[in-house]
PDB file of all heavy atoms in Angstrom:
ATOM      1  N   LEU A 289     -20.714 -20.850   3.658  1.00  0.00           N
ATOM      2  CA  LEU A 289     -20.584 -22.115   4.402  1.00  0.00           C
ATOM      3  C   LEU A 289     -19.429 -22.979   3.901  1.00  0.00           C
ATOM      4  O   LEU A 289     -19.353 -24.166   4.186  1.00  0.00           O
ATOM      5  CB  LEU A 289     -21.904 -22.896   4.335  1.00  0.00           C
ATOM      6  CG  LEU A 289     -23.095 -22.219   5.032  1.00  0.00           C
ATOM      7  CD1 LEU A 289     -24.344 -23.096   4.929  1.00  0.00           C
ATOM      8  CD2 LEU A 289     -22.790 -21.936   6.503  1.00  0.00           C
ATOM      9  N   GLY A 302     -20.878 -26.401   5.149  1.00  0.00           N
ATOM     10  CA  GLY A 302     -21.854 -26.583   4.084  1.00  0.00           C
ATOM     11  C   GLY A 302     -21.817 -27.945   3.428  1.00  0.00           C
ATOM     12  O   GLY A 302     -22.582 -28.224   2.517  1.00  0.00           O
ATOM     13  N   PRO A 305     -25.171 -31.838   6.333  1.00  0.00           N
ATOM     14  CA  PRO A 305     -26.518 -31.349   6.665  1.00  0.00           C
ATOM     15  C   PRO A 305     -26.693 -31.042   8.153  1.00  0.00           C
ATOM     16  O   PRO A 305     -27.273 -30.012   8.507  1.00  0.00           O
ATOM     17  CB  PRO A 305     -27.434 -32.496   6.238  1.00  0.00           C
ATOM     18  CG  PRO A 305     -26.653 -33.261   5.224  1.00  0.00           C
ATOM     19  CD  PRO A 305     -25.209 -33.085   5.594  1.00  0.00           C
ATOM     20  N   SER A 308     -24.743 -27.851   9.139  1.00  0.00           N
ATOM     21  CA  SER A 308     -25.403 -26.679   8.572  1.00  0.00           C
ATOM     22  C   SER A 308     -26.656 -26.334   9.361  1.00  0.00           C
ATOM     23  O   SER A 308     -26.919 -25.179   9.670  1.00  0.00           O
ATOM     24  CB  SER A 308     -25.825 -26.921   7.118  1.00  0.00           C
ATOM     25  OG  SER A 308     -24.764 -27.398   6.368  1.00  0.00           O
ATOM     26  N   GLU A 309     -27.434 -27.358   9.673  1.00  0.00           N
ATOM     27  CA  GLU A 309     -28.693 -27.130  10.378  1.00  0.00           C
ATOM     28  C   GLU A 309     -28.438 -26.529  11.754  1.00  0.00           C
ATOM     29  O   GLU A 309     -29.063 -25.536  12.135  1.00  0.00           O
ATOM     30  CB  GLU A 309     -29.451 -28.457  10.508  1.00  0.00           C
ATOM     31  CG  GLU A 309     -30.844 -28.270  11.075  1.00  0.00           C
ATOM     32  CD  GLU A 309     -31.694 -29.543  10.960  1.00  0.00           C
ATOM     33  OE1 GLU A 309     -31.319 -30.469  10.213  1.00  0.00           O
ATOM     34  OE2 GLU A 309     -32.738 -29.595  11.635  1.00  0.00           O
ATOM     35  N   ILE A 312     -27.251 -22.849  11.330  1.00  0.00           N
ATOM     36  CA  ILE A 312     -28.309 -21.910  10.921  1.00  0.00           C
ATOM     37  C   ILE A 312     -29.255 -21.643  12.097  1.00  0.00           C
ATOM     38  O   ILE A 312     -29.671 -20.503  12.328  1.00  0.00           O
ATOM     39  CB  ILE A 312     -29.119 -22.458   9.719  1.00  0.00           C
ATOM     40  CG1 ILE A 312     -28.209 -22.729   8.529  1.00  0.00           C
ATOM     41  CG2 ILE A 312     -30.259 -21.501   9.347  1.00  0.00           C
ATOM     42  CD1 ILE A 312     -27.751 -21.563   7.738  1.00  0.00           C
ATOM     43  N   ALA A 325     -28.044 -18.818   2.832  1.00  0.00           N
ATOM     44  CA  ALA A 325     -26.977 -19.816   3.013  1.00  0.00           C
ATOM     45  C   ALA A 325     -26.297 -20.044   1.675  1.00  0.00           C
ATOM     46  O   ALA A 325     -26.951 -20.411   0.693  1.00  0.00           O
ATOM     47  CB  ALA A 325     -27.570 -21.117   3.537  1.00  0.00           C
ATOM     48  N   LEU A 327     -23.927 -22.231  -0.510  1.00  0.00           N
ATOM     49  CA  LEU A 327     -23.524 -23.627  -0.416  1.00  0.00           C
ATOM     50  C   LEU A 327     -22.364 -23.982  -1.342  1.00  0.00           C
ATOM     51  O   LEU A 327     -22.333 -23.578  -2.497  1.00  0.00           O
ATOM     52  CB  LEU A 327     -24.715 -24.522  -0.759  1.00  0.00           C
ATOM     53  CG  LEU A 327     -26.004 -24.276   0.039  1.00  0.00           C
ATOM     54  CD1 LEU A 327     -27.029 -25.337  -0.308  1.00  0.00           C
ATOM     55  CD2 LEU A 327     -25.734 -24.269   1.543  1.00  0.00           C
ATOM     56  N   ASN A 336     -29.420 -32.377   0.266  1.00  0.00           N
ATOM     57  CA  ASN A 336     -29.731 -32.586   1.684  1.00  0.00           C
ATOM     58  C   ASN A 336     -29.335 -31.381   2.528  1.00  0.00           C
ATOM     59  O   ASN A 336     -30.024 -31.017   3.480  1.00  0.00           O
ATOM     60  CB  ASN A 336     -29.013 -33.832   2.209  1.00  0.00           C
ATOM     61  CG  ASN A 336     -29.592 -35.088   1.595  1.00  0.00           C
ATOM     62  OD1 ASN A 336     -30.772 -35.102   1.230  1.00  0.00           O
ATOM     63  ND2 ASN A 336     -28.775 -36.115   1.438  1.00  0.00           N
ATOM     64  N   VAL A 337     -28.216 -30.768   2.177  1.00  0.00           N
ATOM     65  CA  VAL A 337     -27.795 -29.568   2.907  1.00  0.00           C
ATOM     66  C   VAL A 337     -28.822 -28.452   2.671  1.00  0.00           C
ATOM     67  O   VAL A 337     -29.213 -27.747   3.602  1.00  0.00           O
ATOM     68  CB  VAL A 337     -26.382 -29.123   2.473  1.00  0.00           C
ATOM     69  CG1 VAL A 337     -26.015 -27.789   3.115  1.00  0.00           C
ATOM     70  CG2 VAL A 337     -25.346 -30.181   2.848  1.00  0.00           C
ATOM     71  N   ALA A 338     -29.289 -28.323   1.438  1.00  0.00           N
ATOM     72  CA  ALA A 338     -30.279 -27.288   1.123  1.00  0.00           C
ATOM     73  C   ALA A 338     -31.555 -27.494   1.937  1.00  0.00           C
ATOM     74  O   ALA A 338     -32.111 -26.551   2.498  1.00  0.00           O
ATOM     75  CB  ALA A 338     -30.587 -27.304  -0.372  1.00  0.00           C
ATOM     76  N   LYS A 339     -31.994 -28.727   2.017  1.00  0.00           N
ATOM     77  CA  LYS A 339     -33.202 -29.017   2.816  1.00  0.00           C
ATOM     78  C   LYS A 339     -32.956 -28.699   4.282  1.00  0.00           C
ATOM     79  O   LYS A 339     -33.828 -28.166   4.972  1.00  0.00           O
ATOM     80  CB  LYS A 339     -33.571 -30.499   2.687  1.00  0.00           C
ATOM     81  CG  LYS A 339     -34.206 -30.875   1.360  1.00  0.00           C
ATOM     82  CD  LYS A 339     -34.612 -32.353   1.455  1.00  0.00           C
ATOM     83  CE  LYS A 339     -35.055 -32.916   0.134  1.00  0.00           C
ATOM     84  NZ  LYS A 339     -34.978 -34.390   0.114  1.00  0.00           N
ATOM     85  N   ALA A 340     -31.763 -29.037   4.758  1.00  0.00           N
ATOM     86  CA  ALA A 340     -31.442 -28.814   6.175  1.00  0.00           C
ATOM     87  C   ALA A 340     -31.428 -27.325   6.508  1.00  0.00           C
ATOM     88  O   ALA A 340     -31.977 -26.910   7.531  1.00  0.00           O
ATOM     89  CB  ALA A 340     -30.091 -29.452   6.509  1.00  0.00           C
ATOM     90  N   VAL A 341     -30.824 -26.512   5.650  1.00  0.00           N
ATOM     91  CA  VAL A 341     -30.768 -25.079   5.968  1.00  0.00           C
ATOM     92  C   VAL A 341     -32.160 -24.455   5.860  1.00  0.00           C
ATOM     93  O   VAL A 341     -32.511 -23.561   6.627  1.00  0.00           O
ATOM     94  CB  VAL A 341     -29.743 -24.289   5.097  1.00  0.00           C
ATOM     95  CG1 VAL A 341     -28.334 -24.818   5.300  1.00  0.00           C
ATOM     96  CG2 VAL A 341     -30.113 -24.262   3.633  1.00  0.00           C
ATOM     97  N   GLU A 342     -32.979 -24.974   4.949  1.00  0.00           N
ATOM     98  CA  GLU A 342     -34.351 -24.460   4.852  1.00  0.00           C
ATOM     99  C   GLU A 342     -35.117 -24.764   6.133  1.00  0.00           C
ATOM    100  O   GLU A 342     -35.751 -23.880   6.718  1.00  0.00           O
ATOM    101  CB  GLU A 342     -35.080 -25.078   3.648  1.00  0.00           C
ATOM    102  CG  GLU A 342     -36.516 -24.564   3.497  1.00  0.00           C
ATOM    103  CD  GLU A 342     -37.251 -25.162   2.295  1.00  0.00           C
ATOM    104  OE1 GLU A 342     -37.118 -26.380   2.059  1.00  0.00           O
ATOM    105  OE2 GLU A 342     -37.947 -24.397   1.599  1.00  0.00           O
ATOM    106  N   SER A 343     -35.012 -25.987   6.609  1.00  0.00           N
ATOM    107  CA  SER A 343     -35.790 -26.345   7.798  1.00  0.00           C
ATOM    108  C   SER A 343     -35.253 -25.639   9.035  1.00  0.00           C
ATOM    109  O   SER A 343     -35.983 -25.413   9.990  1.00  0.00           O
ATOM    110  CB  SER A 343     -35.816 -27.866   7.989  1.00  0.00           C
ATOM    111  OG  SER A 343     -34.592 -28.291   8.549  1.00  0.00           O
ATOM    112  N   ALA A 344     -33.976 -25.253   9.022  1.00  0.00           N
ATOM    113  CA  ALA A 344     -33.395 -24.564  10.177  1.00  0.00           C
ATOM    114  C   ALA A 344     -33.692 -23.066  10.159  1.00  0.00           C
ATOM    115  O   ALA A 344     -33.342 -22.355  11.097  1.00  0.00           O
ATOM    116  CB  ALA A 344     -31.888 -24.791  10.221  1.00  0.00           C
ATOM    117  N   GLY A 345     -34.306 -22.578   9.094  1.00  0.00           N
ATOM    118  CA  GLY A 345     -34.722 -21.182   9.098  1.00  0.00           C
ATOM    119  C   GLY A 345     -34.002 -20.267   8.129  1.00  0.00           C
ATOM    120  O   GLY A 345     -34.178 -19.042   8.191  1.00  0.00           O
ATOM    121  N   ALA A 346     -33.195 -20.809   7.218  1.00  0.00           N
ATOM    122  CA  ALA A 346     -32.585 -19.948   6.196  1.00  0.00           C
ATOM    123  C   ALA A 346     -33.687 -19.450   5.263  1.00  0.00           C
ATOM    124  O   ALA A 346     -34.656 -20.151   4.996  1.00  0.00           O
ATOM    125  CB  ALA A 346     -31.531 -20.713   5.414  1.00  0.00           C
ATOM    126  N   ASP A 347     -33.529 -18.202   4.782  1.00  0.00           N
ATOM    127  CA  ASP A 347     -34.565 -17.590   3.949  1.00  0.00           C
ATOM    128  C   ASP A 347     -34.295 -17.751   2.459  1.00  0.00           C
ATOM    129  O   ASP A 347     -35.182 -17.519   1.645  1.00  0.00           O
ATOM    130  CB  ASP A 347     -34.658 -16.098   4.262  1.00  0.00           C
ATOM    131  CG  ASP A 347     -34.943 -15.861   5.733  1.00  0.00           C
ATOM    132  OD1 ASP A 347     -36.052 -16.222   6.175  1.00  0.00           O
ATOM    133  OD2 ASP A 347     -34.050 -15.355   6.444  1.00  0.00           O
ATOM    134  N   ALA A 348     -33.063 -18.054   2.115  1.00  0.00           N
ATOM    135  CA  ALA A 348     -32.712 -18.210   0.702  1.00  0.00           C
ATOM    136  C   ALA A 348     -31.419 -19.004   0.606  1.00  0.00           C
ATOM    137  O   ALA A 348     -30.705 -19.183   1.603  1.00  0.00           O
ATOM    138  CB  ALA A 348     -32.549 -16.853   0.023  1.00  0.00           C
ATOM    139  N   ILE A 349     -31.137 -19.463  -0.607  1.00  0.00           N
ATOM    140  CA  ILE A 349     -29.903 -20.220  -0.846  1.00  0.00           C
ATOM    141  C   ILE A 349     -29.142 -19.537  -1.978  1.00  0.00           C
ATOM    142  O   ILE A 349     -29.740 -19.146  -2.982  1.00  0.00           O
ATOM    143  CB  ILE A 349     -30.242 -21.680  -1.219  1.00  0.00           C
ATOM    144  CG1 ILE A 349     -30.714 -22.424   0.041  1.00  0.00           C
ATOM    145  CG2 ILE A 349     -29.040 -22.383  -1.841  1.00  0.00           C
ATOM    146  CD1 ILE A 349     -31.290 -23.781  -0.234  1.00  0.00           C
ATOM    147  N   VAL A 396     -36.439 -27.630  -2.446  1.00  0.00           N
ATOM    148  CA  VAL A 396     -36.765 -26.593  -1.445  1.00  0.00           C
ATOM    149  C   VAL A 396     -37.738 -25.577  -2.032  1.00  0.00           C
ATOM    150  O   VAL A 396     -37.901 -25.494  -3.266  1.00  0.00           O
ATOM    151  CB  VAL A 396     -35.498 -25.835  -0.966  1.00  0.00           C
ATOM    152  CG1 VAL A 396     -34.486 -26.787  -0.341  1.00  0.00           C
ATOM    153  CG2 VAL A 396     -34.871 -25.016  -2.086  1.00  0.00           C
ATOM    154  N   ILE A 398     -37.603 -22.194  -0.730  1.00  0.00           N
ATOM    155  CA  ILE A 398     -37.010 -20.856  -0.574  1.00  0.00           C
ATOM    156  C   ILE A 398     -36.284 -20.466  -1.871  1.00  0.00           C
ATOM    157  O   ILE A 398     -35.861 -21.329  -2.631  1.00  0.00           O
ATOM    158  CB  ILE A 398     -36.046 -20.784   0.655  1.00  0.00           C
ATOM    159  CG1 ILE A 398     -35.019 -21.920   0.620  1.00  0.00           C
ATOM    160  CG2 ILE A 398     -36.828 -20.786   1.959  1.00  0.00           C
ATOM    161  CD1 ILE A 398     -34.019 -21.905   1.767  1.00  0.00           C
TER     162      ILE A 398
END
Side-chain angles (χ1 to χ4, degrees):
Chain A
L289 295 181
S308 309
E309 187 169 346
I312 302 283
L327 306 186
N336 291 332
V337 174
K339 285 185 189 160
V341 299
E342 180 180 42
S343 78
D347 303 293
I349 287 170
V396 301
I398 51 179

